[in-house]
Amino acid sequence: MSINYMSSLVLHVVTTPSGGGAQFIARNLAKLPSSHININHEILYFSNPRSHLFNFNESTFNLRHSRSPRAIYLLRNKFLDISRNYEKTIVHSHLTWPFYYCAIACIGIHNIQLVYTEHNTSNKRRNFPFFRIIDRFFYSRYTRIISISKSTQLHLFNWLGLSYCPADNNVRFSVIPNGARSFSNLNITKNFTRRPLNLISIGTLNYKKGFDNAILAIKKIEDYVEKYYILGDGPMRFKLQNLINRLELQDCIKLLGHVDQLHEFLANIDLGLVPSRVEGFGLCAIEMLSAGIPLVCTNVPGISEVLNDASAVRMTEGISSEALAEGLLYGYNNLAFREDISFSAIAFSRKYSVEKMRTAYNSVYLDLLGYSHLK
């Protein structure tokens, strides 16, 4: 097939369709309209463990494991096919394995530009200094590196080393805040009468999200809590359930797994809890605020930057269970059951809309594809 000189492609590459903020961003960017020029958007996953239903422009390699090195071979074939069918292509990768595998798979293919979104302020490989040399090479393969917050970008610069970040980095490196779903159109008929709290947390069940500390905090103030719902799946689920059982909190704390429809939960929640040890942005926090839910959050880089001036948010003094318990008591006495705080939460969430995020990314795509005059 000959090259279509009137068409360009943006291919988004993610490990799986189910997960956290990275998957949400990729799927929303893949919905960008072609506007008055023919830019096609597709999204590609390494695996689909939950048998997620796809839109017309989504596909998967159906690999057994999303880390499988076989993805490099499959990506290489995909990229070669793309290079024959499109004059210009952007491959936009998210998360660790697409970051590495896409950089390797496109070597020698000259009409493909790489874009990467940095989602975290920290990761395991940054604990080992020799990975810095490896990462410097892989980041050099990317035309644009976009961070979801200034804190995320600063931590990346510190990891790569200042000598790696010359003055022209404002071209290669930029910050585009996440956009979040809005639940402000919920028919919220909240009961603002003071009573034991209905709490919610949303996120992947891993060490970084700090749900073990949250469970310990609930034990310290269990008389103030009616229910604590934790929405999400992940490698720590079995460990967290054991902790809940050991503390005899089975009636209070519920691990509900992945939930597609949040409306039924958010409409009846008094206070949200974000107990993260590490957080690049805090997408779920904005979603909860959009439903009029005040928050208690750990004061860690990324989320503290995003929520610093939100009157509906209480930042804790630390990340320990004691700090979380103190924060929840403050939330009980000062944030929950207040209609003015609920409206303030909704108003703040509008700063981070999906539409604003799409517009910012679309501007990057137009620049790289040579259509900047159409912005």
Side-chain angles (χ1 to χ4, degrees):
M1 183 176 178
S2 60
I3 292 177
N4 183 352
Y5 286 97
M6 298 301 292
S7 183
S8 301
L9 175 68
V10 179
L11 177 67
H12 307 266
V13 183
V14 201
T15 48
T16 69
S18 54
Q23 288 83 354
F24 173 79
I25 291 171
R27 299 197 86 198
N28 274 277
L29 293 179
K31 296 176 185 176
L32 276 167
S34 60
S35 186
H36 45 279
I37 54 175
N38 193 8
I39 301 178
N40 299 303
H41 288 263
E42 296 179 13
I43 186 163
L44 175 65
Y45 307 103
F46 290 173
S47 62
N48 185 22
R50 297 181 183 277
S51 299
H52 196 99
L53 295 177
F54 288 154
N55 294 319
F56 73 96
N57 61 343
E58 296 179 280
S59 61
T60 179
F61 287 149
N62 274 326
L63 294 170
R64 204 167 188 182
H65 303 289
S66 58
R67 299 180 179 183
S68 172
R70 178 170 164 75
I72 299 173
Y73 169 77
L74 296 173
L75 282 169
R76 180 74 177 178
N77 288 338
K78 177 74 172 179
F79 293 166
L80 288 171
D81 184 58
I82 287 171
S83 69
R84 290 189 290 266
N85 295 326
Y86 292 93
E87 180 191 16
K88 300 174 182 178
T89 297
I90 292 171
V91 172
H92 188 165
S93 63
H94 303 259
L95 303 176
T96 299
W97 298 107
F99 167 72
Y100 286 126
Y101 291 170
C102 287
I104 296 170
C106 75
I107 290 175
I109 304 175
H110 300 294
N111 59 341
I112 289 180
Q113 298 187 78
L114 293 177
V115 172
Y116 177 62
T117 295
E118 186 72 50
H119 291 273
N120 293 297
T121 56
S122 180
N123 53 56
K124 290 181 180 178
R125 66 183 184 272
R126 294 185 190 178
N127 295 325
F128 305 97
F130 69 89
F131 267 113
R132 180 178 284 112
I133 298 172
I134 296 172
D135 272 7
R136 283 175 175 172
F137 166 77
F138 279 95
Y139 278 98
S140 72
R141 299 278 301 143
Y142 282 81
T143 305
R144 295 287 179 91
I145 298 100
I146 299 164
S147 298
I148 61 174
S149 66
K150 291 180 181 177
S151 296
T152 303
Q153 186 184 70
L154 178 60
H155 281 76
L156 175 61
F157 281 3
N158 289 341
W159 166 242
L160 296 176
L162 292 177
S163 61
Y164 182 80
C165 304
D168 66 348
N169 269 347
N170 61 334
V171 177
R172 291 191 63 234
F173 292 84
S174 59
V175 174
I176 298 178
N178 283 349
R181 289 174 295 180
S182 175
F183 295 92
S184 61
N185 60 346
L186 287 175
N187 183 22
I188 299 176
T189 55
K190 288 185 177 296
N191 179 1
F192 291 103
T193 304
R194 195 167 298 279
R195 53 189 159 70
L197 291 164
N198 285 315
L199 297 170
I200 194 170
S201 290
I202 306 170
T204 304
L205 306 186
N206 59 29
Y207 179 78
K208 291 192 294 186
K209 294 299 183 181
F211 293 128
D212 51 332
N213 277 341
I215 292 167
L216 293 171
I218 298 302
K219 183 63 178 178
K220 297 177 190 300
I221 60 164
E222 58 183 311
D223 290 342
Y224 291 87
V225 179
E226 178 69 26
K227 295 291 182 187
Y228 175 37
Y229 302 105
I230 302 177
L231 277 55
D233 277 321
M236 282 189 66
R237 179 163 189 157
F238 183 74
K239 182 177 180 180
L240 293 175
Q241 188 61 62
N242 281 345
L243 179 60
I244 292 169
N245 295 343
R246 179 165 59 83
L247 297 176
E248 299 182 343
L249 293 171
Q250 301 96 317
D251 293 335
C252 174
I253 302 178
K254 303 295 182 182
L255 301 181
L256 298 180
H258 181 75
V259 175
D260 287 322
Q261 301 297 328
L262 296 179
H263 296 73
E264 60 185 280
F265 294 98
L266 298 183
N268 299 299
I269 295 298
D270 305 308
L271 195 64
L273 177 60
V274 183
S276 302
R277 293 181 171 95
V278 176
E279 193 67 66
F281 180 87
L283 192 64
C284 64
I286 302 298
E287 291 179 344
M288 288 188 280
L289 288 171
S290 79
I293 299 171
L295 302 178
V296 172
C297 303
T298 47
N299 193 1
V300 295
I303 197 166
S304 62
E305 171 195 328
V306 173
L307 302 180
N308 184 51
D309 57 344
S311 60
V313 177
R314 174 67 171 183
M315 294 291 182
T316 66
E317 297 297 325
I319 62 174
S320 66
S321 60
E322 291 80 9
L324 289 172
E326 290 174 6
L328 288 169
L329 288 177
Y330 178 92
Y332 178 84
N333 290 314
N334 298 281
L335 300 179
F337 318 115
R338 287 182 53 181
E339 193 169 7
D340 60 326
I341 293 293
S342 184
F343 282 118
S344 174
I346 294 171
F348 182 88
S349 72
R350 292 178 180 141
K351 294 170 59 176
Y352 299 100
S353 69
V354 171
E355 290 72 22
K356 288 180 180 179
M357 177 189 71
R358 285 175 175 167
T359 298
Y361 273 101
N362 196 45
S363 179
V364 172
Y365 300 149
L366 291 174
D367 280 343
L368 293 179
L369 295 172
Y371 302 127
S372 57
H373 59 288
L374 298 175
K375 290 193 293 183

